Amino acid sequence: MVLLDGKKTANDIKDEITISVNEMIDLGEKVPHLAAVLVGSDGASLTYVGSKVRACERVGFNSTLIELPETTSEEKLLKVIQDLNGNNDIDGFIVQLPLPKHIDEQKVLNAVNPAKDVDGFHPENFGRMALEMESFIPATPYGILQLLERYQVITKGKHTVVIGRSHIVGRPMSILMSQKGPAGNSTVTLTHSHTKNLSEITKQADIIIVALGVPEFLKASMVKDGVVIVDVGISRVPDDTKPRGYTIKGDVAFDEVSKKSSFITPVPGGVGPMTIAMLLKNTLIARKRNT
Ligand code: NAD
């Protein structure tokens, strides 16, 4: 079994980005600038945004964190987005999800200038991605592709089963795995909460990408020997033995499934760090396009 080490690979990618930033500095060019908008004070969102800001510092990017109260109106948030769209110093920005219930998430994502949409959530970028045109690939799927490619996992002609059809992970992943090119050319089955006999499908899979948010959902009895496993899930499970009071679990029962796997991502240290690295990569791309 080979561990798909997202932490190490993400660090490699950050080192590559740092080299590009240093080249920009040597040429007297502006360094990339990422902004993040956080509405409210959800614990997990605060952690994610904090990691993104620290990652910017690590590679030499400028970063701006805009923190808005939970009670922020949709109108006010749309105004903040318009300002970021028009600010030439900001190369890319993200709106941390989820948003409070009184705000229409899709309306907000639609307001982001597609050229600054480094999360790749705007319909224009999603459509361009599906058509294999130049776009921003959403950071988590992009990170998974990079992990598979850098570990030389063969995807061509393989049967990939994706569990979960969210707009940010499952659905784009199902599209990308079937596309031409590296970490593509796979035959894809997209499964979701209405899929019948899921185990019968996962047992036929050469590669399983699991993104549903149910701790340790995928068991050894559901997979065949030699399977490649990508675990996207991040759930906080109460744990009194930990100082924080919780432990992080993936969607895969790692101990039993890893025994049957050829490659597997750990949680934490797999897809999570890759997501942040690819957000930085998208910001670097945005900066280069913004010249
Ligand atoms: P989501 O929560 O929006 O949707 C869950 C999906 O799972 C739905 O499409 C649903 O149809 C499917 N599903 C639910 N129960 C199912 C079942 N029994 N069988 C088959 N499918 C079922 O999904 P999301 O936003 O992609 O998040 C999924 C998990 O991934 C969460 O734990 C989230 O925290 C995590 N996540 C991690 C990263 C990362 O960087 N590692 C990024 C995004 C999301």
Side-chain angles (χ1 to χ4, degrees), residues 140 163-166 168-169 192-193 211-213 217 232-234 271-272 275:
T140 302
I163 307 179
R165 59 178 165 185
S166 74
I168 61 170
V169 186
H192 46 77
S193 53
L212 75 161
F217 174 86
V232 185
I234 304 177
V271 176
T275 297

Side-chain angles (χ1 to χ4, degrees), residues 181-240:
N185 289 314
S186 199
T187 304
V188 179
T189 304
L190 178 59
T191 67
H192 46 77
S193 53
H194 294 280
T195 298
K196 294 204 168 69
N197 304 323
L198 182 65
S199 278
E200 297 311 310
I201 299 168
T202 52
K203 270 191 260 180
Q204 295 171 31
D206 302 305
I207 301 168
I208 308 180
I209 299 168
V210 200
L212 75 161
V214 179
E216 304 195 320
F217 174 86
L218 191 81
K219 308 279 191 236
S221 60
M222 298 167 73
V223 308
K224 69 177 183 187
D225 282 325
V227 68
V228 176
I229 300 286
V230 176
D231 185 354
V232 185
I234 304 177
S235 298
R236 290 182 174 192
V237 177
D239 183 347
D240 293 339

Side-chain angles (χ1 to χ4, degrees), residues 167-188:
H167 292 170
I168 61 170
V169 186
R171 193 175 300 278
M173 211 56 239
S174 71
I175 295 169
L176 292 162
M177 291 298 293
S178 69
Q179 286 188 344
K180 298 177 192 119
N185 289 314
S186 199
T187 304
V188 179

